[in-house]
Amino acid sequence: MGWCLCKCRPLSTFSSLLYSSKPSLPFPSTFLPSSSIKSSFFSCSISSSSALATGTFTWEDVFRVSQSAEEEEENNSSYLHGYFHKVQLCNRGSGKQSEFLPFVIEGQTVGFIHAGFVENFKSFNDVFVYIKDNSNGGSVGEFFSLHPMLKTAEERTSAVAYVIKCLGEKHIPGIRNELYPVVSSFGSPVLFSLERAAAPYFGIKAYGIHMNGYVEIDGQKHLWVGKRSNTKQTYPGMLDHLVAGGLPHGINCKENVAKECEEEAGIPRSISIRAKPVSAVSYMDIDGYRYKRDVLFCYDLKLPENFIPKNEDGEVESFKLIPIRQVAEVIRKTQFYKPNCALVVIDFLFRHGYITPENFGYLDLLRSLRIGECS
């Protein structure tokens, strides 16, 4: 065991259909898109409506876009371009996976850490170690791990927390003092818990809940849309779900939905208990030293027509109730939505019949909502 700061060997590729005509995907090879689909959709451009800087738009801008739909046939070959672009925004940097080392605990790969970022851990030899494994048929595998003396989840959590505290905001901005469980897959034993802001720097799987709160008026679905506070550290001023949040250690999805409903929209448990788990989306995004491998559990909640949400935690500036077809136009034509929220709304559009098999590229878009390892 010891520190090895040479360039790490390439990891097995997780390239998605967004980057290659013959990608290696986390789903069966029968799902590979045709070259015509790839060339048609994955070169999509951003519409002029996206020219406004993200977060600087107003509700007036939102309504202007949503109500000015051009006459466009929903079955023409370009109709889904805007949706594919939102998938791209959540799945960047696949070509940089070779820059990351596997993060292995108890023989299980739980994350990926950039070879440059581990420079920050050189003085913490009693917490972090590099290992070269020659046991696999003579080949050398390099990976990153925790010191073997840290045997329990509690010991690992405490030791890693100390390192993160020492590194501070300079290296890990946005520290929230909120712990995420580190697991090899959803529901598997928790190997330790990690500061939420550090999760992408360790490339761990992070889980969250996103809830579509909708109302039916005269047979038409309307979606409650939140506009994030301008003081939010991430994606200030952008559009968001009625309710969404990460899944911290020690709470299940159902309870987290109820908690977030109260905090973010003032929805009492007597109503939030009706929220239905309906789907999941996943993505993997590399941005510098950050490697996000997220799975979002999607919920739908049909709300009474007279319900008015009220934010309780100061993270949402305001809410608007918007016809779902107009929400769809905003997602297609702008970058007003927080990117991962756009994926969840696109999933809603599939499930409620607003995107149909008649739309050219239907199956490719449907598969692309789960590019990340959904486990």
Side-chain angles (χ1 to χ4, degrees):
M1 289 183 295
W3 291 94
C4 172
L5 300 179
C6 59
K7 185 178 179 180
C8 60
R9 300 170 65 234
L11 308 179
S12 58
T13 304
F14 297 96
S15 300
S16 76
L17 62 104
L18 295 180
Y19 305 101
S20 170
S21 59
K22 292 185 178 180
S24 172
L25 294 171
F27 37 71
S29 59
T30 53
F31 289 169
L32 298 180
S34 66
S35 59
S36 62
I37 293 292
K38 174 187 176 289
S39 61
S40 175
F41 289 110
F42 304 151
S43 60
C44 58
S45 60
I46 305 170
S47 74
S48 60
S49 299
S50 299
L52 286 173
T54 55
T56 62
F57 59 87
T58 66
W59 281 116
E60 287 73 19
D61 296 317
V62 173
F63 287 115
R64 183 163 54 250
V65 170
S66 69
Q67 295 170 356
S68 62
E70 299 174 2
E71 290 298 326
E72 185 174 2
E73 292 293 332
E74 293 188 5
N75 62 351
N76 85 31
S77 61
S78 65
Y79 182 74
L80 297 184
H81 276 193
Y83 297 133
F84 273 105
H85 181 259
K86 303 313 177 291
V87 174
Q88 286 179 310
L89 292 177
C90 291
N91 292 276
R92 302 167 299 171
S94 69
K96 298 181 179 179
Q97 288 164 352
S98 63
E99 300 175 7
F100 290 76
L101 284 170
F103 181 36
V104 179
I105 307 293
E106 295 184 3
Q108 303 175 73
T109 299
V110 297
F112 297 93
I113 305 178
H114 196 278
F117 190 76
V118 299
E119 291 279 355
N120 299 313
F121 301 140
K122 289 179 65 175
S123 60
F124 299 99
N125 289 312
D126 55 343
V127 179
F128 298 109
V129 295
Y130 270 100
I131 298 174
K132 285 190 175 183
D133 183 5
N134 296 291
S135 63
N136 186 17
S139 63
V140 177
E142 299 173 8
F143 62 91
F144 186 66
S145 188
L146 295 180
H147 197 286
M149 292 298 293
L150 301 171
K151 297 184 181 298
T152 69
E154 291 76 15
E155 290 171 343
R156 295 165 185 158
T157 298
S158 178
V160 175
Y162 170 75
V163 174
I164 291 172
K165 181 179 179 181
C166 292
L167 295 179
E169 292 280 335
K170 177 181 178 181
H171 298 288
I172 303 176
I175 292 176
R176 308 185 187 191
N177 297 313
E178 180 180 338
L179 295 178
Y180 270 9
V182 177
V183 296
S184 60
S185 61
F186 187 70
S188 63
V190 178
L191 299 170
F192 74 99
S193 297
L194 177 68
E195 159 61 40
R196 175 177 179 174
Y201 294 96
F202 284 77
I204 69 166
K205 291 179 180 175
Y207 302 88
I209 57 94
H210 280 233
M211 193 190 81
N212 302 288
Y214 71 97
V215 173
E216 286 197 8
I217 302 174
D218 297 328
Q220 300 297 317
K221 291 183 175 67
H222 294 59
L223 198 67
W224 278 108
V225 178
K227 194 170 189 300
R228 294 163 68 86
S229 167
N230 287 319
T231 62
K232 286 281 289 181
Q233 186 171 38
T234 57
Y235 303 102
M238 296 187 72
L239 301 185
D240 205 333
H241 287 295
L242 179 63
V243 170
L247 187 63
H249 179 59
I251 185 171
N252 63 32
C253 289
K254 183 177 180 179
E255 279 300 310
N256 202 31
V257 169
K259 178 179 74 71
E260 295 290 349
C261 277
E262 287 185 338
E263 294 175 357
E264 295 195 349
I267 303 173
R269 286 179 179 254
S270 59
I271 294 179
S272 65
I273 197 172
R274 305 175 202 160
K276 296 180 179 179
V278 289
S279 185
V281 301
S282 63
Y283 51 91
M284 51 183 195
D285 182 71
I286 294 175
D287 180 19
Y289 289 163
R290 295 162 51 87
Y291 192 161
K292 290 180 66 63
R293 300 194 300 143
D294 293 355
V295 177
L296 308 180
F297 295 101
C298 307
Y299 285 74
D300 285 355
L301 176 61
K302 184 177 180 181
L303 292 159
E305 286 188 38
N306 61 354
F307 175 79
I308 305 296
K310 180 182 179 182
N311 181 244
E312 303 288 349
D313 61 10
E315 295 188 357
V316 180
E317 172 193 290
S318 55
F319 295 102
K320 298 290 183 184
L321 186 62
I322 304 176
I324 188 62
R325 290 192 181 278
Q326 293 183 23
V327 173
E329 288 302 298
V330 172
I331 290 178
R332 275 204 326 120
K333 296 181 176 181
T334 77
Q335 294 186 71
F336 292 170
Y337 257 91
K338 182 172 176 278
N340 63 354
C341 295
L343 298 192
V344 177
V345 177
I346 293 170
D347 180 78
F348 183 94
L349 296 174
F350 271 104
R351 291 185 291 98
H352 291 266
Y354 294 95
I355 297 175
T356 71
E358 286 67 45
N359 298 133
F360 185 70
Y362 175 89
L363 291 178
D364 293 282
L365 181 60
L366 181 63
R367 286 190 295 270
S368 75
L369 297 179
R370 294 160 189 87
I371 284 176
E373 187 179 353
C374 214
S375 65

